[in-house]
Amino acid sequence: MASEFKKKMFWRAVVAEFLAMILFIFISIGSALGFNFPVSVNGTSATQDNVKVSLAFGLSIATMAQSVGHISGAHLNPAVTLGLLLSCQISIFKALMYILAQCLGAVVATAILSGVTSSLPNNSLGLNALAKGINAGQGLGIEIIATLQLVLCVLATTDRRRNDVSGSAPLAIGLSVALGHLLAIDYTGCGINPARSFGSALIANKFENHWIFWVGPIIGGAGAALIYDFILAPRSSDLTDRVKVWTSGQVEEYDLEGDDMNSRVEMKPK
């Protein structure tokens, strides 16, 4: 922890998560709110385009991953951070700082969006909620599955043991985010990201069933890490190695001698 705390690159990474989260949330939720403007076509009121919203979330994640992936890894999601923590790719201290930065970024972005869209009628600010006919257990299941496939994609496309990954890892992860939204929007509004859900709930001051959007992604992210690391692609590291990473971070993550710009890129295949 002490070695990470003293590194400039560590704090640059935390700031990158914060700033990238602001842009991601503003663009993504902004696209979802756009349909609420009082616009009519041929006398028919516009309705939400799930494909548009899903692509906005997915492409914004891919863009931010490409923009700050070399600095922070561009987790932009506490569930992803948890998955990488359980996969022994980051320290506990880094995970906590990332989650804090992600939540703060989401709150700031939603607050800005609230001001920009203040004229919208019935402005929900992207608040996640269960659809009619969906109970808490069903919503939780949707969130678990949608998050599990996302974190599994992150772990698989960024696995440095692989040499068969071609193309763009950020784009693959962005498409996974879009896929999760195509599944879950009609059931829960699609959380799969506790920080994104928290920002909307806090600014709108509505926390009904909010626990689902933390518990579901946490279970999904943790499940993906356990499935990938112990069943699909087991790692050879023992408990001692894992504890060392959790307490001190990856040895190769920072250049301890020089400029400390040789940070490990988590969102890019090695």
Side-chain angles (χ1 to χ4, degrees):
M1 173 178 166
S3 61
E4 286 191 305
F5 187 84
K6 295 176 182 178
K7 287 295 168 183
K8 292 180 181 178
M9 192 60 203
F10 173 83
W11 294 107
R12 289 184 193 136
V14 173
V15 171
E17 284 289 303
F18 172 71
L19 295 177
M21 194 71 179
I22 291 176
L23 292 173
F24 161 57
I25 294 298
F26 186 88
I27 293 169
S28 302
I29 296 183
S31 72
L33 294 181
F35 82 98
N36 275 323
F37 279 106
V39 176
S40 61
V41 179
N42 296 327
T44 303
S45 298
T47 57
Q48 182 172 0
D49 185 342
N50 285 357
V51 175
K52 168 198 167 185
V53 175
S54 299
L55 286 176
F57 273 88
L59 292 176
S60 58
I61 279 288
T63 301
M64 291 301 103
Q66 197 76 290
S67 300
V68 303
H70 62 297
I71 301 172
S72 70
H75 298 186
L76 305 180
N77 186 335
V80 171
T81 299
L82 176 63
L84 291 172
L85 173 65
L86 295 179
S87 185
C88 274
Q89 298 188 42
I90 57 174
S91 69
I92 295 174
F93 178 60
K94 186 174 186 179
L96 291 175
M97 292 303 299
Y98 269 26
I99 292 172
L100 178 61
Q102 292 157 5
C103 289
L104 288 176
V107 170
V108 170
T110 310
I112 296 172
L113 198 58
S114 176
V116 171
T117 62
S118 59
S119 60
L120 285 179
N122 303 316
N123 189 354
S124 66
L125 295 174
L127 184 70
N128 291 123
L130 299 178
K132 291 183 179 179
I134 300 296
N135 62 38
Q138 293 167 332
L140 182 66
I142 290 290
E143 288 293 312
I144 290 172
I145 297 300
T147 308
L148 189 146
Q149 63 85 28
L150 166 61
V151 178
L152 191 63
C153 177
V154 171
L155 293 172
T157 55
T158 63
D159 190 341
R160 294 183 297 163
R161 297 170 296 172
R162 295 181 64 180
N163 54 19
D164 63 320
V165 178
S166 59
S168 170
L171 180 59
I173 294 166
L175 290 174
S176 181
V177 171
L179 179 64
H181 280 76
L182 287 171
L183 164 67
I185 282 179
D186 287 332
Y187 301 99
T188 64
C190 191
I192 72 173
N193 186 330
R196 165 260 189 275
S197 301
F198 176 72
S200 296
L202 183 65
I203 300 302
N205 194 28
K206 294 181 180 179
F207 289 92
E208 184 179 0
N209 293 317
H210 183 65
W211 64 272
I212 293 173
F213 304 104
W214 280 91
V215 176
I218 286 172
I219 294 175
L226 296 176
I227 290 171
Y228 189 79
D229 269 15
F230 293 98
I231 299 176
L232 299 180
R235 297 180 184 273
S236 59
S237 56
D238 57 24
L239 181 60
T240 303
D241 295 329
R242 288 176 173 270
V243 171
K244 185 176 181 180
V245 173
W246 285 333
T247 56
S248 304
Q250 292 278 12
V251 174
E252 70 274 19
E253 193 166 6
Y254 303 103
D255 177 7
L256 302 179
E257 304 269 338
D259 185 60
D260 80 14
M261 283 302 292
N262 295 329
S263 63
R264 182 167 57 85
V265 182
E266 292 153 346
M267 296 295 279
K268 191 174 182 180
K270 295 290 186 181

